[in-house]
Amino acid sequence: MAAEALTVRREEIPPLESEPFLQRYLARLSALRHRPDASQVPGGESGRRTELHLLFDQLISETCGPGGAAPGGTRPEDVCEILVQACKLVPLNQEHLVNKVCQLIHQLLNRFPVIVDEESLKYLLPYFISALKQCSTWTHVEILQALAASVYNNGSKCQKYLPALLGGNGLLVQLSSPAQTDAELKRAAVLGMANICLSIPGQPYLEEPYRELCFQTFLSVLQSPKGSWVDDITFCMLLQNAMKGIQSLLNGGKMKLTQTDQLGSLLAVLKKCMFHGLPGLNIEMPAILYPALLPQYDSRSLVKQEKSDLSNVKQSGSRRKKPKGKPKKGMLGEELKGSQEGDGGGEVEKQTLRGDVQQDPNSDAWNRTSSDSHRSFVKDHLPPHALGWKRIGSSDSEYSDAEGGMQSKTRSFQAKVRQGALTCFLSTVKSMEKKILYGYWSAFVPDVPGIGSPQSVSLMTIALKDPSPKTRACALQVLSAILEGSKQFLSIAEDAHDHKRAFTPFSVTIACSIRELHRCLLLALVAESSSQTLTQIIKCLANLVLNAPYSRLKPGLLTRVWHQIKPYIRHKDVNVRVLSLTLLGAIVSAQAPLPEVHLLLRQPSSLGLSGGGSAAPRLGVCSSASGWRKEAQGEPPLPVENVPAEPCWLLHLCISLVVLPREDCCSDSDAGCQATASIYEPSPIRLESLQVLALLVKGYFSLSQSYLLELGEVACKCMEETDLSIQLHGAKLLDELGVGIIQQRKPDQAVAPDQRVPVDLVVTFWTRMLNGPLPGALQNSQHPTLQTSTCNALSSILPEAFSGLPDDRQILCITILLGLNHSENPLVKAAAARALGVYVVFPCLQQDVMFVADTANAILNSLCDRSPNVRAKAAWSLGNLTDTLIINMELMGQSFQDEFSDLLLLKMLQLATDASKDKDKVKSNAVRALGNLLHFLQPSHIANPRFSQPIEESVHALISTVQSETTMKVRWNACYALGNVFKNPALLLGEAAWTGQAYSALSSVVKSCKNFKVRIKSAAALSVPAERKCYGTPEQFSQIWSALVVALRKSEEAEDFLEFKYSASLRTQLCHALLHLLSLVDEADLLAVRKAVAEHGEVIGAYMLQYLKSGVADEEVGIGENFSERDRSLERAVEHVRSVEELSEGCPMKRGTVAYLEDILKTHHGAAGLTEA
């Protein structure tokens, strides 16, 4: 049998001179081609055949084995030329030579990293097709292997030959059909088909009919049982090739499995292959897996009755035994040559997952496998895409009896099948929609077994029981991919309360599954001895922690994870240490703040460290922070309850890992230590520690605030370093500290004043930052990303603390930000524009006319930038700036308006109008700014001819935005802006030409917009004018009144169910607007009012009573009325309408509106009296 095992890794091949080697053979082949006819030379045809045999044998022997010619420096065109020249010398009637030249082609393409060019394919493929048709069947295996090697990554170049290979009677289709009894031949044909399916990004994919035919062929191969005449290894290779083909279709071919039967058949056969040859387990699967809510039945026959996982899994001191002796060469080579087609068509992972041979995670040899680049610690892909999938083949002699014999070889190939099935399943998971994937949750994720029932097999069965660490890692990677993005699905889980029902709700079933996942993953963590597999277990745990709804589950799950991961923080392998910190970061960021995690963070550092005492952090870090304490001695101390009895273990661990020298520079498997001899921990560990600190500050600031000065010192030390990544993470930590301080003082945060960080301490904190490395980082133009991060940090200064900074530090901040606003880098410019927008609302700065003017000019400069991101940030800042103008107008009156430049105001109006026609992210804040600017204008501005056209254009821009089909946020802001415009009496609302258009736009939106928040703001805008003349003619007033009545009647009609939560707020605003109009009504307007009362009085009355007595939260309405104010609004409306009707002449019927309103008021007072009684 032509072996399909592996070639030796290329990097292990000693270099030889390949150029002369190939040129020498090319010359000999060329000489043979140009010789006279064979009949005219000594020896005749027989001599020529003998010479070709010898030449091919020499070439094969020089390229095989560890001592063969090296691929380095080989020109692809030379290899392709040798292949073509060799085929031209071999006629198809000389079958032994055909067999040997195909063996040579297979060998060369397996040896050298060469993709056959299109010109060579034009000769080789017809040659192979003709050979398969004309030569005897005994040659077909070698021919097919040569064909498979040639078409690898060349599927798009084979279009011309696909009918002959994959057509209805195509050669590969016939040779891989169920009727084919020669397993070797079938294996080789399936390999060729799989390689044709392999696609390169950017090149045409296989056409749909061929994709479907290949998929069905591969699926049929996987579903076919093993014949008694087929040996185990050949069958394993056949399964591998079929799974590689399916994976190529799913990855490179972008094939989508839309049919339930098609997907179910694939998942069923992949689940069966996942357990192929697994000792002690043999499962029988149905032909199709159907999506189901509850676990499906799957029968399994146990060779041995497995004991409970708890009793079976030993503690870390007695892990799986390592095999004695050296690893088997072939077995190790096979494991090293794992392959995976990533989404990008072959993304290579730096880490190498070892084979079945257990390596000591503490050994030097194991440690040397780690990479010093940070990317190698965070990539989450299966083993690298390798040329081993291109051509499977090596000598059977790689497995000798002395090296383990056939049984060991069979186990290795069975493990490869399981790995291939998991790799293929990972591609399937990535190609499926999440809502479809989770229909098969119970088929692959463990669940708590029923009473008397065995545990169903799942991915965790492999992770716990498979002898191959690489296979265990593959299973965990698939499980991690399933868990990734599962938050919405898992959010239905709930078991916080005891379940005592006759049936098990689905929420409880999912909760049980989550608990079982925690149990199994922690068992796997304790039992695992392979560092590479440990990383996958911890990644999987981190994904689970990030997606599980712990607030709906009984506490305790995170506590067990917390205590079991602690010892691994001082693991010998840097990958494991980094991911242990990642998991701790996931715990502190999961639905923060959680009471369970808060308790864990407050626990003494001595708890939960059994077996991992070395993980205890070294305290006393950041000694320089004591100087800060001395600076702030005069301030009141933090409350006792805010300071834990012992320091926060996690916080001090992360600080020590970032700033303290490592205990033993050579104790870790970090390549960086060998190269740079750094006194600190490896960079990935320090970076992950900084991320955990940032997450800890973000989620549990009440606990972290006790260490504000120490954390500030950490940020300073990081920004002083030369490593850009460390500097960026230090700036991020500083930003989170600033945001945490600000969040404490927000009205919606129930933090008592004595629980907040004192302002004096915040001033000390920021003074140290601004006297330290922060200004230098802000001005470091060589690293724009660092400037961006520090800009964001600078914008998180507490306004009260900013006013307490020394004057020179305040000026420094403002000067740097104004300068960075002119940066050529769009990220820096956007961050500076945003920071200026934050500063312009600081109470200590917003009344400084010069600062406001300088900020306005800077923001307007950014508003004209080419970058959409810069314009979006500038528009947001312009909105804040105009808010400041309104505040100053109300606080300072005419004095501020007189000092502010008319030319600057005109420029702001013009550029904001232009920005209102930009992208939605710019437009939403541009219209907000327009509303404020039009509100700010004074009679002198409006009378100025230079303002006339800009004012007209800006108002029409708002009206068109309200009527447009843009995003709802933009329309919401436009309605709000029109309401601000209506507040300016100098604009002569009611007389201006645009009045009717503005009211018509708002009336249309309040009746028909599908978004209730837009309706609310339009109703609010319609209730802004304070005088009757502002509403224009009686006809205009009637249209507005009728629109509000229609909107009230339709306030419960929503296209989107999510809008119903705003319906009560909408009715509140509509009733407020109606009462406001009634309080301004004229005699000419009474006709429209009476008509509405006559036709819809009952509905209006019911909603009005509800408005008067309801306790609706008005955060979406913004009215801010209490019950008594609503009563007075109705009373004022009654009195005003009565006075209007008393002045009118005619029949008493006109007094019906007053009677109607009095009835509403009487009914309300009666209901209120009964409630009080």
Side-chain angles (χ1 to χ4, degrees):
M1 176 185 72
E4 196 166 338
L6 305 146
T7 56
V8 182
R9 294 175 65 188
R10 294 187 181 90
E11 58 267 28
E12 297 173 353
I13 303 171
L16 294 177
E17 296 182 1
S18 55
E19 286 288 346
F21 155 75
L22 288 179
Q23 294 293 340
R24 186 171 70 250
Y25 280 99
L26 269 175
R28 292 177 63 181
L29 288 171
S30 180
L32 279 173
R33 284 198 64 206
H34 292 92
R35 280 188 184 180
D37 186 65
S39 60
Q40 301 176 12
V41 297
E45 187 66 33
S46 175
R48 184 186 180 89
R49 284 199 305 270
T50 302
E51 190 170 357
L52 281 173
H53 273 294
L54 289 173
L55 181 60
F56 293 160
D57 286 339
Q58 288 176 4
L59 189 50
I60 291 172
S61 65
E62 285 201 38
T63 56
C64 72
T74 304
R75 294 195 310 169
E77 56 267 28
D78 290 343
V79 177
C80 294
E81 182 64 20
I82 284 181
L83 304 184
V84 174
Q85 293 293 339
C87 288
K88 287 181 177 179
L89 287 168
V90 178
L92 295 178
N93 58 358
Q94 297 181 11
E95 294 186 347
H96 285 87
L97 274 177
V98 170
N99 191 67
K100 186 158 292 185
V101 78
C102 288
Q103 185 182 353
L104 172 65
I105 293 170
H106 181 214
Q107 174 71 29
L108 287 177
L109 293 179
N110 209 17
R111 182 66 168 179
F112 298 102
V114 172
I115 304 299
V116 180
D117 58 61
E118 192 166 2
E119 287 300 316
S120 300
L121 277 179
K122 289 179 180 178
Y123 183 84
L124 292 176
L125 286 182
Y127 184 85
F128 297 143
I129 291 170
S130 299
L132 288 171
K133 291 178 179 178
Q134 297 178 30
C135 296
S136 303
T137 55
W138 68 270
T139 64
H140 286 185
V141 172
E142 290 293 352
I143 296 171
L144 288 169
Q145 289 192 143
L147 184 148
S150 302
V151 300
Y152 178 81
N153 266 345
N154 277 322
S156 60
K157 302 172 187 175
C158 301
Q159 300 296 327
K160 180 179 176 182
Y161 310 100
L162 290 182
L165 295 171
L166 300 178
N169 294 315
L171 293 169
L172 295 182
V173 175
Q174 292 179 3
L175 294 173
S176 59
S177 68
Q180 178 59 250
T181 57
D182 188 332
E184 271 293 322
L185 202 57
K186 190 173 185 177
R187 173 197 60 77
V190 171
L191 175 62
M193 191 179 292
N195 284 354
I196 290 175
C197 294
L198 188 60
S199 300
I200 298 178
Q203 294 190 0
Y205 299 126
L206 204 61
E207 294 177 1
E208 178 61 32
Y210 293 125
R211 283 209 304 262
E212 187 63 30
L213 184 146
C214 290
F215 178 81
Q216 292 300 331
T217 300
F218 298 142
L219 191 60
S220 174
V221 168
L222 293 174
Q223 291 173 331
S224 301
K226 174 181 172 294
S228 57
W229 63 90
V230 182
D231 65 272
D232 290 335
I233 292 178
T234 302
F235 185 65
C236 288
M237 293 177 179
L238 179 61
L239 295 177
Q240 281 181 265
N241 292 343
M243 288 185 287
K244 291 167 188 174
I246 291 177
Q247 189 181 351
S248 296
L249 288 173
L250 293 173
N251 289 345
K254 304 296 180 186
M255 183 177 182
K256 298 297 182 184
L257 302 173
T258 55
Q259 300 177 15
T260 303
D261 287 355
Q262 190 182 51
L263 177 60
S265 299
L266 176 61
L267 293 179
V269 75
L270 286 180
K271 184 172 182 181
K272 184 175 177 64
C273 291
M274 287 176 200
F275 299 95
H276 181 78
L278 187 62
L281 191 64
N282 180 30
I283 68 167
E284 296 178 3
M285 291 294 300
I288 300 176
L289 279 179
Y290 291 102
L293 297 180
L294 297 176
Q296 288 182 278
Y297 170 78
D298 59 348
S299 60
R300 60 171 182 167
S301 56
L302 293 177
V303 177
K304 292 182 179 180
Q305 181 63 37
E306 297 291 336
K307 295 183 179 180
S308 167
D309 286 336
L310 276 170
S311 60
N312 201 13
V313 177
K314 299 183 179 180
Q315 297 300 316
S316 55
S318 57
R319 303 188 178 176
R320 291 189 181 93
K321 293 183 180 179
K322 305 168 193 169
K324 297 179 181 179
K326 296 182 179 179
K328 300 171 180 60
K329 180 172 67 174
M331 197 169 170
L332 180 58
E334 182 76 15
E335 292 289 348
L336 289 171
K337 196 184 172 186
S339 52
Q340 157 66 13
E341 301 285 337
D343 285 343
E347 187 173 353
V348 178
E349 180 177 339
K350 301 295 182 186
Q351 302 179 42
T352 301
L353 294 178
R354 294 284 179 174
D356 287 342
V357 182
Q358 297 278 357
Q359 296 283 349
D360 182 0
N362 301 327
S363 69
D364 292 337
W366 184 265
N367 292 341
R368 286 194 295 271
T369 64
S370 297
S371 168
D372 63 343
S373 68
H374 184 52
R375 289 179 61 198
S376 66
F377 296 98
V378 298
K379 283 200 174 183
D380 191 19
H381 299 288
L382 283 178
H385 165 66
L387 288 174
W389 278 34
K390 166 182 172 181
R391 317 112 186 161
I392 299 180
S394 77
S395 170
D396 284 355
S397 63
E398 290 183 8
Y399 295 90
S400 65
D401 290 338
E403 291 175 322
M406 189 59 68
Q407 188 177 11
S408 176
K409 183 180 176 183
T410 301
R411 284 199 298 270
S412 175
F413 275 93
Q414 288 172 340
K416 297 285 305 170
V417 171
R418 298 196 294 274
Q419 292 158 24
L422 291 164
T423 300
C424 190
F425 184 35
L426 180 62
S427 297
T428 307
V429 167
K430 290 180 177 180
S431 69
M432 296 168 64
E433 293 183 33
K434 290 293 185 182
K435 62 181 180 181
I436 297 175
L437 171 64
Y438 295 133
Y440 298 93
W441 174 273
S442 60
F444 297 98
V445 179
D447 191 10
V448 178
I451 299 175
S453 303
Q455 176 109 35
S456 60
V457 292
S458 66
L459 289 167
M460 281 310 307
T461 308
I462 303 171
L464 287 167
K465 298 180 182 297
D466 200 292
S468 165
K470 185 176 180 181
T471 310
R472 298 196 297 272
C474 288
L476 290 160
Q477 284 175 320
V478 176
L479 182 57
S480 190
I482 293 174
L483 290 172
E484 190 174 351
S486 61
K487 182 173 290 186
Q488 185 175 0
F489 170 71
L490 296 181
S491 64
I492 62 176
E494 199 273 329
D495 73 344
H497 308 289
D498 290 334
H499 165 63
K500 296 179 180 179
R501 302 181 191 172
F503 65 94
T504 303
F506 186 60
S507 59
V508 174
T509 301
I510 297 300
C512 291
S513 183
I514 292 173
R515 289 191 170 278
E516 185 66 8
L517 270 174
H518 280 80
R519 187 185 73 87
C520 292
L521 285 170
L522 291 177
L523 283 173
L525 182 70
V526 171
E528 190 54 64
S529 59
S530 163
S531 293
Q532 259 67 3
T533 310
L534 266 178
T535 62
Q536 299 305 325
I537 296 172
I538 301 172
K539 283 179 187 177
C540 205
L541 273 168
N543 261 333
L544 177 59
V545 168
L546 287 173
N547 290 284
Y550 293 101
S551 58
R552 295 169 57 89
L553 303 174
K554 292 178 182 177
L557 291 176
L558 288 175
T559 302
R560 287 190 282 275
V561 176
W562 177 273
H563 290 313
Q564 289 215 195
I565 200 60
K566 276 186 175 182
Y568 294 91
I569 296 168
R570 295 294 180 185
H571 196 275
K572 290 291 184 180
D573 190 273
V574 177
N575 294 297
V576 176
R577 296 174 65 189
V578 170
L579 285 163
S580 299
L581 290 167
T582 302
L583 177 54
L584 289 171
I587 292 174
V588 298
S589 64
Q591 303 167 38
L594 285 173
E596 182 181 357
V597 177
H598 199 275
L599 288 174
L600 289 171
L601 290 170
R602 296 174 68 92
Q603 280 183 356
S605 59
S606 56
L607 291 183
L609 285 173
S610 57
S614 61
R618 294 162 282 162
L619 301 180
V621 297
C622 299
S623 58
S624 60
S626 60
W628 297 18
R629 298 288 184 191
K630 292 175 184 177
E631 293 176 25
Q633 279 178 355
E635 66 201 31
L638 287 177
V640 176
E641 57 268 25
N642 256 7
V643 182
E646 287 195 37
C648 174
W649 171 83
L650 180 59
L651 187 142
H652 273 269
L653 168 72
C654 292
I655 292 177
S656 67
L657 291 174
V658 172
V659 301
L660 292 185
R662 61 199 303 181
E663 293 175 350
D664 181 3
C665 181
C666 300
S667 65
D668 292 291
S669 58
D670 176 53
C673 180
Q674 303 167 9
T676 64
S678 171
I679 63 170
Y680 295 110
E681 294 287 348
S683 180
I685 291 178
R686 301 181 72 203
L687 293 174
E688 201 63 41
S689 299
L690 285 168
Q691 288 189 31
V692 174
L693 284 175
L695 292 170
L696 190 58
V697 169
K698 183 178 182 179
Y700 298 88
F701 186 78
S702 61
L703 187 146
S704 308
Q705 69 183 51
S706 304
Y707 309 95
L708 178 66
L709 300 182
E710 287 83 353
L711 290 169
E713 180 68 8
V714 171
C716 275
K717 284 182 177 293
C718 290
M719 286 188 287
E720 288 170 349
E721 295 198 18
T722 56
D723 187 331
L724 179 60
S725 297
I726 297 290
Q727 291 176 313
L728 288 171
H729 281 74
K732 175 63 177 174
L733 176 59
L734 179 59
D735 186 21
E736 291 294 353
L737 288 167
V739 170
I741 294 170
I742 293 172
Q743 291 286 343
Q744 274 192 332
R745 285 168 166 76
K746 286 196 172 181
D748 58 344
Q749 298 292 319
V751 180
D754 60 342
Q755 298 290 316
R756 300 169 182 169
V757 180
V759 174
D760 291 344
L761 184 61
V762 182
V763 172
T764 302
F765 173 81
W766 281 109
T767 302
R768 171 67 182 92
M769 293 295 107
L770 293 168
N771 289 332
L774 183 58
L778 282 162
Q779 299 174 77
N780 188 348
S781 58
Q782 295 181 347
H783 298 297
T785 50
L786 179 61
Q787 287 182 296
T788 303
S789 296
T790 47
C791 252
N792 292 333
L794 199 63
S795 68
S796 63
I797 297 180
L798 183 72
E800 295 90 330
F802 185 87
S803 61
L805 291 174
D807 290 344
D808 62 330
R809 298 298 91 183
Q810 293 185 29
I811 294 171
L812 175 67
C813 293
I814 295 169
T815 305
I816 289 177
L817 290 178
L818 288 172
L820 291 178
N821 192 75
H822 296 281
S823 171
E824 295 181 359
N825 186 283
L827 291 176
V828 178
K829 193 169 185 177
R834 178 188 172 276
L836 287 171
V838 173
Y839 277 38
V840 81
V841 296
F842 281 5
C844 62
L845 293 176
Q846 63 185 10
Q847 295 182 10
D848 184 338
V849 178
M850 292 302 296
F851 169 74
V852 174
D854 289 342
T855 301
N857 281 308
I859 290 172
L860 293 178
N861 171 269
S862 295
L863 198 61
C864 301
D865 196 85
R866 291 180 299 175
S867 168
N869 185 43
V870 173
R871 297 199 303 274
K873 299 295 185 184
W876 179 83
S877 295
L878 183 62
N880 283 9
L881 175 66
T882 55
D883 287 342
T884 292
L885 295 182
I886 300 300
I887 292 172
N888 288 337
M889 181 182 70
E890 294 171 352
L891 294 178
M892 302 172 65
Q894 191 69 33
S895 61
F896 180 86
Q897 292 168 314
D898 292 341
E899 289 185 52
F900 199 78
S901 167
D902 289 355
L903 289 177
L904 181 56
L905 188 62
L906 178 62
K907 186 178 179 182
M908 292 170 66
L909 192 63
Q910 291 170 333
L911 289 180
T913 303
D914 293 339
S916 69
K917 303 166 187 175
D918 204 332
K919 297 180 182 295
D920 284 350
K921 288 186 177 180
V922 181
K923 188 185 299 183
S924 61
N925 285 296
V927 295
R928 176 167 71 101
L930 277 178
N932 284 332
L933 288 169
L934 291 169
H935 182 194
F936 183 79
L937 292 176
Q938 298 305 301
S940 59
H941 300 133
I942 297 169
N944 190 335
R946 300 177 64 180
F947 277 82
S948 299
Q949 185 176 351
I951 290 174
E952 191 80 16
E953 291 175 352
S954 59
V955 173
H956 281 292
L958 290 177
I959 293 171
S960 62
T961 304
V962 169
Q963 295 173 322
S964 67
E965 293 299 324
T966 184
T967 58
M968 296 305 166
K969 181 179 179 182
V970 175
R971 299 179 74 184
W972 184 93
N973 277 346
C975 292
Y976 179 82
L978 277 179
N980 275 336
V981 174
F982 293 169
K983 293 177 183 177
N984 190 345
L987 289 172
L988 301 178
L989 181 64
E991 299 176 15
W994 47 263
T995 301
Q997 298 176 42
Y999 282 135
S1000 295
L1002 291 171
S1003 299
S1004 174
V1005 166
V1006 81
K1007 291 187 295 184
S1008 59
C1009 184
K1010 63 182 180 181
N1011 185 280
F1012 278 18
K1013 291 177 74 174
V1014 176
R1015 291 197 202 183
I1016 290 170
K1017 286 303 169 186
S1018 60
L1022 289 171
S1023 63
V1024 166
E1027 299 180 14
R1028 169 62 188 85
K1029 64 179 181 179
C1030 295
Y1031 285 100
T1033 64
E1035 290 77 13
Q1036 183 69 62
F1037 185 93
S1038 175
Q1039 290 177 11
I1040 297 170
W1041 172 267
S1042 300
L1044 291 171
V1045 171
V1046 171
L1048 186 62
R1049 290 193 296 109
K1050 294 183 176 180
S1051 60
E1052 294 187 5
E1053 300 176 9
E1055 295 180 16
D1056 188 347
F1057 180 76
L1058 295 176
E1059 296 299 323
F1060 274 112
K1061 63 181 177 181
Y1062 302 115
S1063 60
S1065 297
L1066 174 59
R1067 286 191 291 274
T1068 298
Q1069 185 63 69
L1070 289 169
C1071 289
H1072 172 80
L1074 287 170
L1075 289 178
H1076 177 73
L1077 289 179
L1078 284 173
S1079 66
L1080 301 175
V1081 71
D1082 280 345
E1083 181 183 353
D1085 306 320
L1086 286 177
L1087 182 62
V1089 175
R1090 293 192 191 101
K1091 182 179 178 183
V1093 169
E1095 294 179 358
H1096 310 291
E1098 186 176 349
V1099 175
I1100 296 172
Y1103 284 136
M1104 201 64 75
L1105 285 171
Q1106 186 180 355
Y1107 162 71
L1108 292 170
K1109 67 181 180 181
S1110 64
V1112 173
D1114 292 332
E1115 65 275 5
E1116 293 298 336
V1117 182
I1119 300 174
E1121 293 179 324
N1122 55 36
F1123 295 120
S1124 60
E1125 288 174 342
R1126 294 182 183 185
D1127 287 352
R1128 285 196 292 272
S1129 296
L1130 179 57
E1131 290 170 356
R1132 283 196 300 270
V1134 171
E1135 291 301 322
H1136 178 76
V1137 174
R1138 180 184 289 114
S1139 65
V1140 172
E1141 289 192 344
E1142 286 176 351
L1143 293 175
S1144 64
E1145 298 178 359
C1147 67
M1149 286 294 296
K1150 292 185 178 181
R1151 304 179 63 85
T1153 305
V1154 174
Y1156 172 76
L1157 294 174
E1158 288 176 339
D1159 285 344
I1160 293 175
L1161 189 59
K1162 183 179 179 181
T1163 303
H1164 171 63
H1165 286 161
L1170 288 173
T1171 303
E1172 291 175 4

